[in-house]
Amino acid sequence: MNPIHVILADDHSIVRSGLRQLLDSIDGLQVVGEAANGEALLEVLAGTPADILLLDLSMPGLSGVDLINRVRHLHPKLPVMVLSMHAEAPIVARVLRAGASGYATKDCDPGTLVAAVRRVAEGGRFIDPSLVDSVVFQVDRPESQPHDLLSPREREVLERIAAGQALGDIADELHLSPKTVSTHKMRLMQKLNLQTNADLLKYAVRHGITNG
């Protein structure tokens, strides 16, 4: 039987190294490509046949739902399995609606991840067992809160601004350029229909948005 070919996309090299070591140690699985950002991933996908993409949501540049949409458009037959630090039900739901076939958190058991990769690569679907209840039985407020429409990266920037961090510090912490962070801030303020920093802080306080 041919091995399942996996492409990894995560901006942390140590995470990619650990995932490669795990997956390559399993009979029937083989990592055939890696990428540290969305643009590099699209280049890898263009030249590397694969059976599944294991994707982090938050990477520099093109990422999150936007990246999933791009991948699904360019490679409609390639299953996408998201592995993310985010466990919020609205984010999981948006990712699945965007076309991902699976979602697991980065603290899941290695055996669970391996089983998920196999299932999704073979045409199935998977949601991390720890997320099922929150996704299926979440409080009924679908898209009713504007911040539910933020990308994971925009949410991260919002949380850090709400915590009082300067944009330069946020850029350093997220390993992004200050210009990229400013762009995320501009987009999240547009989505939230906010005009000033004071409006942003009031919104964050009203909705209990904090970092951590």
Side-chain angles (χ1 to χ4, degrees):
M1 181 180 295
N2 294 328
I4 293 171
H5 290 164
V6 184
I7 289 179
L8 304 176
D10 193 293
D11 59 326
H12 294 97
S13 60
I14 193 169
V15 173
R16 295 197 311 275
S17 177
L19 289 171
R20 176 182 279 274
Q21 184 175 6
L22 169 65
L23 297 176
D24 282 346
S25 71
I26 304 298
D27 288 341
L29 298 181
Q30 180 183 358
V31 175
V32 294
E34 298 182 15
N37 58 65
E39 288 74 15
L41 171 62
L42 295 179
E43 293 182 7
V44 172
L45 291 177
T48 309
D51 300 302
I52 182 172
L53 167 62
L54 189 56
L55 176 68
D56 178 31
L57 276 185
S58 301
M59 298 188 295
L62 183 65
S63 65
V65 169
D66 291 339
L67 179 55
I68 294 173
N69 287 332
R70 183 75 66 85
V71 170
R72 297 296 298 149
H73 174 71
L74 296 173
H75 307 277
K77 294 183 179 180
L78 177 66
V80 177
M81 171 78 196
V82 168
L83 182 64
S84 174
M85 62 177 286
H86 299 283
E88 297 86 352
I91 291 177
V92 179
R94 285 204 306 277
V95 165
L96 296 177
R97 283 197 297 270
S101 297
Y103 196 109
T105 58
K106 287 186 175 179
D107 60 355
C108 73
D109 180 85
T112 298
L113 178 60
V114 169
V117 168
R118 290 188 184 279
R119 181 181 300 178
V120 172
E122 292 169 356
R125 298 178 67 83
F126 178 88
I127 299 179
D128 191 319
S130 67
L131 301 177
V132 171
D133 285 351
S134 65
V135 173
V136 176
F137 301 110
Q138 65 176 308
V139 176
D140 186 18
R141 57 182 189 116
E143 311 299 354
S144 61
Q145 301 295 333
H147 56 268
D148 286 344
L149 299 176
L150 299 180
S151 71
R153 184 67 85 193
E154 290 165 352
R155 174 78 183 218
E156 288 178 330
V157 171
L158 173 60
E159 290 172 350
R160 285 164 171 76
I161 293 175
Q165 290 184 255
L167 295 187
D169 293 334
I170 296 172
D172 289 341
E173 187 171 317
L174 297 180
H175 306 290
L176 302 172
S177 71
K179 181 178 179 181
T180 298
V181 173
S182 295
T183 298
H184 286 309
K185 178 187 176 185
M186 177 189 69
R187 289 176 178 170
L188 72 88
M189 291 187 73
Q190 289 174 342
K191 289 181 180 180
L192 300 180
N193 195 27
L194 303 176
Q195 303 300 320
T196 67
N197 287 340
D199 292 336
L200 187 154
L201 293 175
K202 289 177 183 178
Y203 184 98
V205 170
R206 183 165 67 250
H207 293 280
I209 297 172
T210 58
N211 183 13

